């Protein structure tokens, strides 16, 4: 190869490496991609078909599977989905890098998946328009993994970053199929007193009700008083953790649950018992 062709070749190789690696990690238990090849999915041996367009494709209970080995074959695919960390985007002074998931994820082939991409921005870097376009492309490629029915973007946006994250989400929406919903994780402050998410091209914002630090008491009092989140996008889902149980949470929401240790049938039952106590 000539010197000017080699960088382009390497870029193409890296561009598809993330999707290939994710696919290989999921491949042992995901052998039939036809399950989610259209707007209809047929689950189980009884061929129960249902419309999977938009967030209706995502079960009402979703377990987060972060960067560690997870064996979730015990889940009932009709009731529980998995939001797995597909990769991490890092933005630094030298540009953008994408680190794909390196730990195995084992699920039944009927399990519906949400591809989560974490965005980390170095202190001496910014998310400008050029980088936003590249990040959106990386997230869109992660959505091509088998059995993925939605994408979720996990990020921390300062006030000065918000315009760039809006551009990123607009570009991501343009790149994804119309039927592929976009979810984002959200600070509770965005959902209660901050309206910057209004008009974002997203289908869901998940308020993170754990690791809140100093804001824990304020949010607890807010919800104990029976008040809902002000931002409409935050009124359909909740993000919780097994090690920070809640006594009262709104019913009828999609629940994303995090566990500080690998998921087991026992930890799932603990979660379900906790959820039964909510009004």
């Amino acid at each position: 190869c000539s010197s000017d062709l080699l960088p382009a070749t390497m870029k193409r190789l890296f561009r598809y490496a993330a999707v290939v690696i994710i696919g290989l990690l999921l491949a042992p238990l995901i052998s039939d991609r036809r399950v989610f090849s259209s707007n209809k999915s047929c689950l189980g041996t009884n061929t129960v078909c249902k419309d999977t367009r938009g967030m209706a494709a995502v079960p009402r209970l979703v377990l987060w599977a972060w960067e560690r080995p997870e064996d979730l074959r015990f889940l009932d695919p009709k009731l529980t989905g998995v939001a797995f960390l597909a990769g991490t985007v890092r933005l630094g002074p030298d540009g953008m890098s994408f680190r794909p998931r390196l730990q195995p994820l084992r699920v039944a082939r009927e399990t519906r998946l949400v591809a989560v991409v974490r965005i980390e921005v170095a202190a001496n870097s910014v998310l400008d328009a050029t980088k936003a376009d590249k990040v959106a492309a990386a997230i869109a490629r992660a959505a091509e993994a088998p059995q993925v029915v939605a994408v979720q973007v996990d990020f921390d946006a300062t006030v000065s970053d918000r315009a760039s994250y809006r551009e990123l989400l607009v570009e991501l929406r343009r790149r994804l199929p119309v039927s592929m919903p976009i979810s984002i994780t959200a600070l509770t402050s965005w959902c209660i007193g901050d309206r910057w998410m209004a008009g974002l091209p997203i289908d869901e914002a998940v308020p993170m009700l754990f690791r809140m630090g100093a804001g824990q008491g304020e949010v607890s009092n807010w919800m104990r008083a029976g008040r809902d989140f002000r931002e409409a996008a935050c009124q359909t889902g909740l993000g919780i953790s097994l090690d920070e149980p809640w006594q009262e949470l709104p019913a009828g929401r999609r629940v994303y649950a995090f566990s500080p240790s690998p998921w087991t049938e026992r930890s799932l039952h603990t979660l379900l018992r906790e959820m039964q106590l909510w009004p």
Side-chain angles (χ1 to χ4, degrees):
C1 297
S2 63
S3 59
D4 59 333
L5 289 178
L6 182 57
T9 302
M10 294 303 294
K11 287 180 181 179
R12 286 195 294 270
L13 290 174
F14 284 123
R15 182 177 302 166
Y16 296 105
V19 174
V20 172
I21 291 174
I22 292 170
L24 290 174
L25 289 169
L26 295 175
L29 269 297
I30 302 176
S31 59
D32 189 354
R33 192 168 182 176
R34 292 174 299 169
V35 174
F36 298 108
S37 61
S38 68
N39 284 336
K40 296 286 185 179
S41 70
C42 297
L43 306 180
T45 57
N46 294 328
T47 317
V48 177
C49 297
K50 62 190 299 184
D51 192 354
T52 63
R53 288 171 294 185
M55 291 306 296
V58 183
R60 305 301 293 179
L61 176 60
V62 183
L63 305 186
W64 270 310
W66 225 239
E67 185 64 278
R68 65 190 179 205
E70 291 278 12
D71 187 347
L72 298 170
R73 289 174 291 175
F74 61 85
L75 297 179
D76 183 343
K78 297 184 180 68
L79 302 178
T80 309
V82 175
F84 71 103
L85 181 66
T88 301
V89 171
R90 291 187 174 90
L91 301 176
D94 297 329
M96 186 200 89
S97 65
F98 181 83
R99 182 179 185 272
R101 181 185 186 91
L102 300 177
Q103 299 295 333
L105 172 67
R106 308 190 77 186
V107 297
R109 66 185 181 189
E110 296 90 354
T111 302
R112 287 164 281 183
L113 302 178
V114 178
V116 184
V117 176
R118 167 72 181 163
I119 301 175
E120 298 178 351
V121 183
N124 55 351
S125 184
V126 294
L127 176 64
D128 56 27
T130 301
K131 292 177 182 176
D133 183 72
K134 293 180 179 178
V135 174
I139 299 172
R141 288 193 294 273
E144 298 172 5
Q147 296 183 212
V148 169
V149 297
V151 297
Q152 187 173 80
V153 189
D154 180 49
F155 59 90
D156 306 309
T158 63
V159 174
S160 60
D161 293 332
R162 291 175 179 177
S164 297
Y165 276 103
R166 182 176 291 273
E167 290 182 14
L168 163 63
L169 292 169
V170 168
E171 177 62 19
L172 177 60
R173 179 69 280 164
R174 187 186 70 80
R175 288 176 175 270
L176 290 174
V178 175
S179 59
M180 178 72 71
I182 300 174
S183 169
I184 68 171
T185 59
L187 299 177
T188 52
S189 61
W190 300 352
C191 299
I192 292 177
D194 194 332
R195 302 305 306 276
W196 84 273
M197 292 188 295
L200 287 180
I202 60 176
D203 299 88
E204 172 189 72
V206 183
M208 305 293 278
L209 299 177
F210 60 100
R211 313 293 192 268
M212 290 187 290
Q216 174 79 46
E218 180 183 356
V219 175
S220 298
N221 293 334
W222 177 277
M223 304 195 74
R224 192 177 296 114
R227 290 180 286 185
D228 205 343
F229 298 112
R230 290 172 175 166
E231 180 58 51
C234 298
Q235 295 175 359
T236 61
L238 298 168
I240 63 172
S241 178
L242 277 182
D243 59 349
E244 295 185 26
W246 284 79
Q247 298 298 319
E248 297 182 16
L249 284 176
R253 306 292 168 95
R254 177 176 293 103
V255 174
Y256 292 85
F258 174 78
S259 173
S261 57
W263 285 101
T264 63
E265 292 186 69
R266 182 175 181 179
S267 58
L268 175 60
H269 293 157
T270 299
L271 170 65
L272 295 176
R273 285 196 300 270
E274 178 185 334
M275 293 173 59
Q276 290 175 351
L277 298 177
W278 300 347

